[in-house]
Amino acid sequence: YVCAILDLFARKVIAWRVSTRIDRFLAIATLQDAVRTRGVSQGVMFHTDRGSQFTSAEFRRLLDELGMIQSFSAKGHPYDNAVMECFFKYLKKEELNRRCFASTEQLKQSLLVYIAGFYNSVRPHSHNHGLSPDQMECRFFS
């Protein structure tokens, strides 16, 4: 399973992890990676689907400790998480579905190359007016 956290501003993947289980431990570790990457900002809205890993008391407690506001759509309204669904669609189409992995380490290496070496740095996004996530952030912060 791949858990990824995406910054909606520039559509940049700021943290991701792989696990053989989809559970709160995977979600918490990925969120902690994102905080190490970006720092803590009070009032950040953290949007997810309604998976049990994101609705667990432990995950919600961590969000509270970080001063983040949890957001998810109502039951039966799956389109509210469309940005992440789109990321996973392209991840599968452009990288994962055309490869076979003999180990979790091979998968992790492939994800690193795709996310850091292509998706964040090169891949243009219509939301960013044709800029990659890294280019969009660079433009904003300069």
Side-chain angles (χ1 to χ4, degrees):
Y1 295 96
V2 178
C3 182
I5 297 176
L6 201 140
D7 183 329
L8 284 180
F9 169 73
R11 304 302 202 251
K12 183 173 183 169
V13 177
I14 58 171
W16 59 272
R17 281 212 176 211
V18 174
S19 177
T20 57
R21 298 183 58 170
I22 187 166
D23 56 21
R24 69 186 184 281
F25 302 111
L26 174 60
I28 288 168
T30 308
L31 177 55
Q32 290 169 331
D33 289 347
V35 169
R36 275 191 290 280
T37 300
R38 294 287 204 185
V40 178
S41 297
Q42 291 293 315
V44 165
M45 183 153 306
F46 194 87
H47 185 80
T48 67
D49 61 22
R50 289 184 166 268
S52 62
Q53 68 274 27
F54 301 117
T55 58
S56 73
E58 201 172 343
F59 185 81
R60 293 183 59 106
R61 190 170 22 260
L62 177 59
L63 287 177
D64 288 343
E65 289 170 11
L66 295 169
M68 294 182 178
I69 301 163
Q70 188 169 31
S71 163
F72 37 66
S73 59
K75 290 181 182 179
H77 293 85
Y79 306 109
D80 199 23
N81 208 23
V83 176
M84 283 308 300
E85 296 297 335
C86 188
F87 164 73
F88 282 116
K89 175 182 89 172
Y90 284 110
L91 172 63
K92 291 173 187 175
K93 181 179 177 181
E94 296 172 346
E95 183 67 15
L96 301 182
N97 287 351
R98 54 193 194 95
R99 301 189 187 283
C100 293
F101 303 101
S103 68
T104 304
E105 286 307 311
Q106 279 186 352
L107 172 61
K108 287 178 183 178
Q109 185 59 37
S110 179
L111 287 168
L112 176 64
V113 169
Y114 177 78
I115 292 170
F118 177 67
Y119 187 85
N120 283 343
S121 60
V122 176
R123 191 178 193 288
H125 291 260
S126 59
H127 173 79
N128 294 342
H129 307 288
L131 298 176
S132 72
D134 285 345
Q135 291 168 327
M136 183 69 170
E137 283 190 346
C138 186
R139 175 183 278 184
F140 178 79
F141 290 113
S142 62

